[in-house]
Amino acid sequence: MLTSNITGTSITASSRSKAFLAPFPIKSRPCVPSGVKKQENIRKGTIVAKATPASAKEGDKKGKIRAPIKDEELTILHETLKKAKHAQHIYGKFSQEQVDHVFRCAAEAANAARLPLAKMAVAETRMGVVEDKVIKNHFASEFVYNKYKSTKTCGVIEHNENGGVTKVAEPVGVIAGIVPTTNPTSTAIFKALLALKTRNGLILCPHPRAAKCTVQAAKIIHDAAVAAGAPEGIISWVASPSMVVSQALMQAPEISLILATGGPGMVRAAYSSGHPSLGVGAGNTPALIDETADIEMAVSSILISKTFDNGVICASEQSIVVVDSIYDEVRAEFVKRGAHFLDEAQKEKVRGGILKDGHLNADIVGQSISRLTEIFGISVPAGSKVLIGEIERIGKDEPFSQEKLSPILGMYRAKDYDDALQKTYKLIMNGGAGHTSVLYSSPLNKENIGRFQDMAKTVRVLINTPASQGAIGDLYNSHLNPSLTLGCGSWGSTSVSTNVGPEHLLNVKHVHGRREGMLWFRVPPKVYFKSGCLEPALMDLKGKRRAFIITDKPLFDLKYAERICGILDSINVHSHVFYHVTPDPTLACIDAGLKEMRAFNPDVIIALGGGSPMDAAKVMWLMYECPETRFDGLAMRFMDITKRIYSVPELGRKAILVAIPTTSGTGSEVTPFSVVTNEVTGQKYPIADYALTPSMAIIDPQLVLTMPKRLTAWSGIDALTHALESYVSVCSSDYNRGLAKEAISLLFKYLPRSFKKGGNDVRARAKVHYAATIAGMSFANAFLGICHSMAHKLGAAYHVPHGLANAALISHVIRYNATDAPFKQAAHPQYRWPRAKNDYAQIADVLGLGGSPGAMTDDEKVIKLIEAIEELKRELEIPATLKDIFNDPAKDAEFLANIDHLAEEAFDDQCTGANPRYPLINDLKQILLDAHSVPITPLKSLSFGGSTVGYDIPPPSPSVSTSSSSSSSSSSSSSSSSS
């Protein structure tokens, strides 16, 4: 019989129609031959049939061939789906106010019908208890409404202006709701209310043994929703369902989501339908009672749960595990409260009736004690609430250890808590993984509770709570959402590990506005500068007790350290000098210094010298305060220094670090960078962490008056490169760009004088010294680029002094970066468009190279800047090419043979990520080639000859004995330490 209902859409199919699906849309098809079984799926509106051999003879229950569904029945299904989709399309445009009105009206109608619906459910299914089903219906309407009445489910549900995030909720569409026979009306109410709250359409497919009561519940909610303004057909149903109709519904292309509550077979069918599905897992809930439990409460709670609706809730306890020391007391309490313990003969009879053909006997589900005694053929005292079988085995060969969905319990005696945990775990994994488990213990027994929660492979771990009422939420703990669809996570082969709620029936769009992350500017808290400032600055250490001075042998011999010790003595600070730092400080050097440092136990560490003593002092400081530090962790590449995987806490708890530079170039006195070398493997550990920023920097030009000419030139160009690269870096900001421009101006003006006149031009020496520190402040906060990336590798492989390597490369890098259309641009939120060319043009203007406003294009200004840099190099007597620097045909040949490897290693250098033009490896190779042989000037155009037309795959790197680790900019110190 087929029917149509004007207040909803219903489908009635013959209860005998449990066979195959006809094509969809409808097509005529021949009868199914005997002995052939078909599995069909709807794909894009058509059910595709696959023939497989039947597993049993015709007439056998498992292999029975059933008649195909009728064309008329599929027509009704098609119309139902069409109407539901149309209704949802209309309802999906409702406002939050309209939806909340519909939601409230439907909840009120369902709540008002809680008693008649309960009576219908018990009368039709012959399961459960009317009074308890009233409670479930009441819960499904009142508690669900109360929990979600203020929940936003329409349009913008969350907006964070500061974070630039807006969440917009949209309905998923039409939902297929599979309803079980155990909770036919409460589950229908729950799913219908959730669908209405989330602007979804819903087609309910009841269990064949509970169709009338489920349809009635759906009809009540539908009518109330329509009366409140919802469109006709927003809630629909299958009036007389069958397996094939359920499958056709779940596989229909109009369905967007399946909400499946039912047996394992139905849930598996939902997950294999080809549509997203939310299903529940099987339950086999154990309850463990330990020696610290409140026994009266535990027994009472278990009986409240297990007798509720004759135990049909899937979360209800199926077994009890009790530790031996209280077992007899717990047993006596159960007897006192009305439980009946089965004798051996009774156990055998019950054991034989729990399962049927290896599966739960449907005849016992939700039955009363009186009915169960009839089924099992046993007699028990009148008023018995539950039947308990005391057992030992756990597994398929013990029916008492499996899910029973009736007032029957298995009870285990455990030797101790460890044994109890093991038994409980086995019970969970015996068909109940993921669902629910319960522990009764003292709330103060944190150890037992912690061990239980670690052991339990269940989504809901309930403490001192009746399982049936506790698992569905909001009764014994308001933080567990009310639900009659209980997800079980991957343990239970389901897709969610929580109680299903409105959030699972929504598509939430996350609208993310562009937000530039927080920037920073970190420098030492104290920076003292001026000629002769050393002594007054050190007076700031008054009150400290012990100063550990780290320097190198040349400076020690020149009595620089002795001068500092004298000043410290005047303020009663005891000092110790470690002067064994070598260029490229090694782990052995660090270990030696640390040994002396720990013995001396300083509260001040003073780094005196060029980059190498600075590097060594920073690492010793780190290891002194954090001896557990791993060098390989600190050397790990990062994309964002504030989000790096490996970091260290802020230093300074045991000692502060005072940096006193005696060279003008590295800027290490104000940076968070360092580098140390493994003398055994040759591997360099570049370290970058703001924790390494010195506590104080003392910039006294008197300390650099005797710096040699070559060191003055190379260190000066290194400082210039720091300023240039940090100015155009993708991380640059207004805070560092002004510093970079000032450093560039000072270096162009005073570096030639400092080089030529040396200590005789005190002003020039001071300005260059200041410029190096200012440039250090800039790149400490904006980082560097590929000039340093390549210079690091040239220094490691061919021992080219770092400043000299930068000098050979910087003009070529400027030409490479100066484009408005880079093949690849580095991704950084504040770097909105390619601006390097304009940045370089601004520098040219600062230097007065651009003439009057508008007189030159940006390209012409950048060329002028490159020419000025090359002229500066000539004044400083710096060779124009790498070939001139090598001055060795053998080294030239080695360089050219190894250039692919150098380019690859430079690409993976820490500095590469901040370069404004993100390079291809072949680009770096071309820059190295350009820098090797021919001077860049005269220069007529900024065109670059590298291969940036595609992602060229570089050839395999040859096996070479060069360092492969990245190096921070601080490695410049390794080759520019004062002598």
Side-chain angles (χ1 to χ4, degrees):
M1 182 180 70
L2 306 174
T3 68
S4 178
N5 192 306
I6 60 172
T7 57
T9 305
S10 64
I11 310 162
T12 303
S14 170
S15 61
R16 296 184 299 274
S17 299
K18 299 180 179 179
F20 316 115
L21 307 178
F24 189 86
I26 301 156
K27 298 178 182 177
S28 61
R29 66 181 305 150
C31 297
V32 179
S34 174
V36 175
K37 184 178 180 181
K38 295 187 177 179
Q39 299 174 341
E40 305 179 349
N41 294 292
I42 295 180
R43 292 293 181 267
K44 297 182 180 179
T46 303
I47 296 178
V48 182
K50 296 181 180 179
T52 58
S55 60
K57 295 180 180 179
E58 184 176 0
D60 181 73
K61 187 172 183 180
K62 293 183 180 178
K64 184 177 180 180
I65 302 301
R66 302 184 179 95
I69 195 168
K70 296 180 181 179
D71 290 348
E72 296 91 333
E73 295 168 340
L74 284 175
T75 299
I76 296 296
L77 177 59
H78 180 75
E79 289 301 314
T80 301
L81 290 162
K82 182 179 179 181
K83 290 179 180 179
K85 190 168 184 178
H86 177 69
Q88 191 281 320
H89 179 72
I90 296 172
Y91 190 58
K93 298 178 181 178
F94 273 36
S95 67
Q96 186 72 65
E97 184 179 6
Q98 290 174 302
V99 166
D100 288 345
H101 176 64
V102 171
F103 182 51
R104 179 177 59 79
C105 292
E108 289 177 351
N111 190 35
R114 61 189 183 277
L115 178 56
L117 287 175
K119 292 169 66 177
M120 282 187 69
V122 172
E124 184 176 9
T125 65
R126 302 297 179 183
M127 296 179 186
V129 180
V130 169
E131 292 80 0
D132 291 340
K133 290 194 183 295
V134 170
I135 293 174
K136 291 199 287 188
N137 291 338
H138 205 161
F139 171 86
S141 53
E142 179 182 287
F143 276 67
V144 170
Y145 173 76
N146 181 72
K147 181 68 177 181
Y148 299 118
K149 62 184 178 183
S150 300
T151 301
K152 293 182 179 180
T153 57
C154 305
V156 176
I157 59 175
E158 185 179 327
H159 178 67
N160 183 339
E161 180 63 31
N162 291 332
V165 180
T166 301
K167 296 182 181 180
V168 182
E170 298 283 356
V172 298
V174 178
I175 298 172
I178 310 303
V179 183
T181 184
T182 51
N183 304 295
T185 55
S186 55
T187 301
I189 293 169
F190 169 72
K191 292 183 177 180
L193 289 180
L194 253 60
L196 291 172
K197 179 64 177 178
T198 53
R199 297 187 294 175
N200 289 301
L202 176 68
I203 302 177
L204 289 170
C205 189
H207 190 281
R209 295 198 307 178
K212 293 180 182 178
C213 61
T214 301
V215 168
Q216 182 62 22
K219 184 179 184 301
I220 289 170
I221 294 177
H222 171 272
D223 291 351
V226 171
E232 288 276 353
I234 192 64
I235 304 294
S236 305
W237 53 83
V238 176
S240 293
S242 65
M243 180 62 73
V244 289
V245 172
S246 298
Q247 291 176 340
L249 173 65
M250 289 190 291
Q251 296 172 1
E254 292 87 349
I255 295 299
S256 299
L257 178 70
I258 300 170
L259 198 54
T261 309
M266 182 60 73
V267 173
R268 282 195 298 270
Y271 278 112
S272 62
S273 67
H275 293 302
S277 301
L278 296 172
V280 300
N284 189 28
T285 302
L288 190 161
I289 306 176
D290 77 5
E291 63 278 5
T292 66
D294 182 330
I295 293 175
E296 289 182 319
M297 182 190 71
V299 170
S300 177
S301 297
I302 291 171
L303 291 176
I304 289 172
S305 172
K306 194 58 180 172
T307 59
F308 185 75
D309 208 20
N310 285 339
V312 297
I313 290 184
C314 56
S316 64
E317 297 87 347
Q318 306 300 321
S319 301
I320 313 163
V321 180
V322 186
V323 296
D324 180 71
S325 61
I326 59 167
Y327 185 90
D328 293 338
E329 189 177 352
V330 170
R331 189 184 192 282
E333 185 66 23
F334 268 115
V335 172
K336 175 182 175 182
R337 300 297 178 185
H340 173 72
F341 282 82
L342 302 168
D343 59 32
E344 290 302 320
Q346 291 174 330
K347 270 196 294 187
E348 284 304 312
K349 290 183 178 181
V350 174
R351 185 178 277 125
I354 292 176
L355 302 181
K356 194 171 185 180
D357 296 327
H359 301 283
L360 177 61
N361 182 1
D363 293 336
I364 73 169
V365 175
Q367 301 305 305
S368 65
I369 293 294
S370 60
R371 175 60 183 148
L372 290 175
T373 57
E374 292 178 11
I375 294 172
F376 298 137
I378 61 175
S379 296
V380 301
S384 295
K385 294 180 178 180
V386 296
L387 306 179
I388 300 179
E390 296 174 284
I391 52 177
E392 296 179 356
R393 300 192 312 273
I394 298 174
K396 293 184 178 180
D397 61 341
E398 177 52 84
F400 275 100
S401 70
Q402 300 188 42
E403 185 181 42
K404 296 169 281 294
L405 295 182
S406 56
I408 303 172
L409 286 165
M411 186 160 161
Y412 295 85
R413 183 192 293 264
K415 292 181 295 184
D416 51 28
Y417 191 65
D418 287 338
D419 185 38
L421 287 176
Q422 293 179 16
K423 285 180 166 59
T424 303
Y425 179 81
K426 290 180 180 178
L427 287 165
I428 291 171
M429 304 311 290
N430 186 37
H435 206 291
T436 305
S437 58
V438 186
L439 170 66
Y440 288 94
S441 179
S442 167
L444 301 178
N445 194 343
K446 301 301 183 183
E447 181 181 353
N448 277 11
I449 294 173
R451 294 180 64 193
F452 186 87
Q453 71 187 29
D454 290 343
M455 170 278 301
K457 292 291 187 286
T458 60
V459 167
R460 283 157 293 275
V461 179
L462 307 179
I463 309 299
N464 297 323
T465 303
S468 294
Q469 295 87 346
I472 61 176
D474 212 19
L475 287 168
Y476 285 80
N477 190 320
S478 61
H479 293 282
L480 181 59
N481 291 338
S483 179
L484 292 176
T485 299
L486 310 182
C488 297
S490 62
W491 293 318
S493 300
T494 66
S495 58
V496 293
S497 57
T498 186
N499 288 6
V500 172
E503 67 272 20
H504 300 107
L505 308 187
L506 292 169
N507 287 321
V508 178
K509 296 184 286 191
H510 294 69
V511 183
H512 294 269
R514 181 165 179 150
R515 288 294 186 275
E516 298 176 4
M518 179 188 74
L519 299 178
W520 58 87
F521 188 77
R522 294 281 300 270
V523 295
K526 298 178 180 180
V527 179
Y528 297 113
F529 61 95
K530 198 65 178 177
S531 183
C533 72
L534 179 64
E535 182 173 352
L538 286 174
M539 291 297 176
D540 199 49
L541 300 179
K542 190 174 183 179
K544 298 295 183 180
R545 297 177 298 106
R546 306 166 75 82
F548 190 84
I549 302 170
I550 300 169
T551 188
D552 56 27
K553 186 66 163 57
L555 287 174
F556 180 79
D557 291 341
L558 291 171
K559 301 189 182 303
Y560 278 66
E562 182 178 318
R563 179 181 173 189
I564 290 176
C565 291
I567 299 171
L568 295 174
D569 286 342
S570 69
I571 56 173
N572 297 318
V573 177
H574 185 47
S575 58
H576 178 86
V577 181
F578 177 81
Y579 56 86
H580 304 295
V581 177
T582 58
D584 294 331
T586 63
L587 291 178
C589 170
I590 301 299
D591 289 340
L594 268 174
K595 185 176 180 180
E596 295 186 25
M597 182 182 291
R598 288 168 179 159
F600 186 67
N601 194 28
D603 55 359
V604 177
I605 300 169
I606 298 177
L608 174 66
S612 292
M614 298 283 182
D615 286 351
K618 289 177 181 178
V619 177
M620 289 183 199
W621 183 34
L622 173 62
M623 300 304 295
Y624 177 59
E625 298 218 356
C626 304
E628 71 283 359
T629 300
R630 288 179 18 240
F631 282 111
D632 59 338
L634 283 174
M636 189 182 302
R637 282 285 309 272
F638 58 83
M639 290 179 63
D640 185 329
I641 195 170
T642 65
K643 299 174 183 176
R644 58 178 307 167
I645 296 173
Y646 191 93
S647 60
V648 295
E650 288 293 326
L651 305 182
R653 293 167 300 162
K654 296 174 66 175
I656 63 171
L657 176 63
V658 178
I660 307 173
T662 60
T663 61
S664 304
T666 71
S668 187
E669 65 275 5
V670 292
T671 72
F673 309 124
S674 179
V675 65
V676 65
T677 303
N678 185 324
E679 70 279 2
V680 176
T681 64
Q683 183 178 4
K684 289 182 179 292
Y685 292 101
I687 301 171
D689 196 291
Y690 279 113
L692 297 179
T693 304
S695 313
M696 180 192 300
I698 302 174
I699 319 302
D700 189 343
Q702 287 189 2
L703 300 177
V704 297
L705 293 179
T706 59
M707 196 164 61
K709 287 186 66 174
R710 285 200 312 175
L711 186 56
T712 300
W714 300 347
S715 296
I717 292 295
D718 187 24
L720 178 64
T721 307
H722 291 160
L724 288 166
E725 291 208 286
S726 61
Y727 189 82
V728 300
S729 161
V730 297
C731 301
S732 67
S733 69
D734 292 340
Y735 280 73
N736 79 279
R737 286 162 72 87
L739 293 171
K741 285 194 289 188
E742 181 64 17
I744 293 167
S745 296
L746 289 173
L747 289 167
F748 265 96
K749 184 175 182 179
Y750 290 104
L751 182 56
R753 284 170 51 181
S754 178
F755 174 76
K756 294 172 184 176
K757 298 181 180 180
N760 294 323
D761 192 336
V762 176
R763 179 176 177 81
R765 285 277 161 145
K767 294 295 186 180
V768 171
H769 202 43
Y770 297 158
T773 299
I774 293 170
M777 291 180 176
S778 179
F779 86 83
N781 293 280
F783 308 117
L784 298 166
I786 59 173
C787 185
H788 271 76
S789 299
M790 292 182 285
H792 292 154
K793 306 315 166 189
L794 287 172
Y798 305 107
H799 306 290
V800 178
H802 183 71
L804 195 55
N806 277 323
L809 294 163
I810 185 60
S811 294
H812 296 276
V813 170
I814 291 173
R815 179 179 63 177
Y816 173 74
N817 287 337
T819 175
D820 292 329
F823 182 68
K824 293 179 73 67
Q825 177 185 317
H828 195 276
Q830 71 166 6
Y831 199 76
R832 300 186 177 187
W833 57 79
R835 67 181 191 215
K837 183 193 292 186
N838 183 255
D839 286 345
Y840 289 130
Q842 291 175 19
I843 294 172
D845 288 335
V846 168
L847 296 175
L849 304 174
S852 59
M856 289 187 184
T857 65
D858 282 355
D859 285 58
E860 292 170 327
K861 291 178 182 179
V862 175
I863 291 173
K864 287 291 185 182
L865 174 62
I866 292 173
E867 291 173 346
I869 292 171
E870 292 302 301
E871 178 58 30
L872 176 62
K873 287 163 55 179
R874 281 190 286 272
E875 287 188 69
L876 300 177
E877 300 176 6
I878 293 176
T881 66
L882 285 173
K883 185 174 182 179
D884 294 331
I885 292 172
F886 292 153
N887 194 28
D888 182 350
K891 189 170 287 188
D892 287 336
E894 182 184 351
F895 168 80
L896 295 173
N898 192 35
I899 196 165
D900 288 315
H901 179 75
L902 285 174
E904 185 176 315
E905 290 294 293
F907 173 80
D908 198 41
D909 188 271
Q910 182 64 65
C911 293
T912 298
N915 198 70
R917 181 176 182 177
Y918 198 73
L920 299 182
I921 294 173
N922 277 349
D923 294 346
L924 298 177
K925 175 182 176 180
Q926 187 61 51
I927 293 172
L928 288 168
L929 286 171
D930 291 345
H932 176 257
S933 302
V934 181
I936 194 170
T937 54
L939 184 65
K940 295 183 179 180
S941 137
L942 294 177
S943 61
F944 174 70
S947 175
T948 54
V949 294
Y951 294 90
D952 295 337
I953 300 175
S957 299
S959 178
V960 292
S961 57
T962 59
S963 171
S964 61
S965 63
S966 301
S967 174
S968 77
S969 60
S970 296
S971 63
S972 61
S973 63
S974 303
S975 300
S976 56
S977 177
S978 66
S979 58

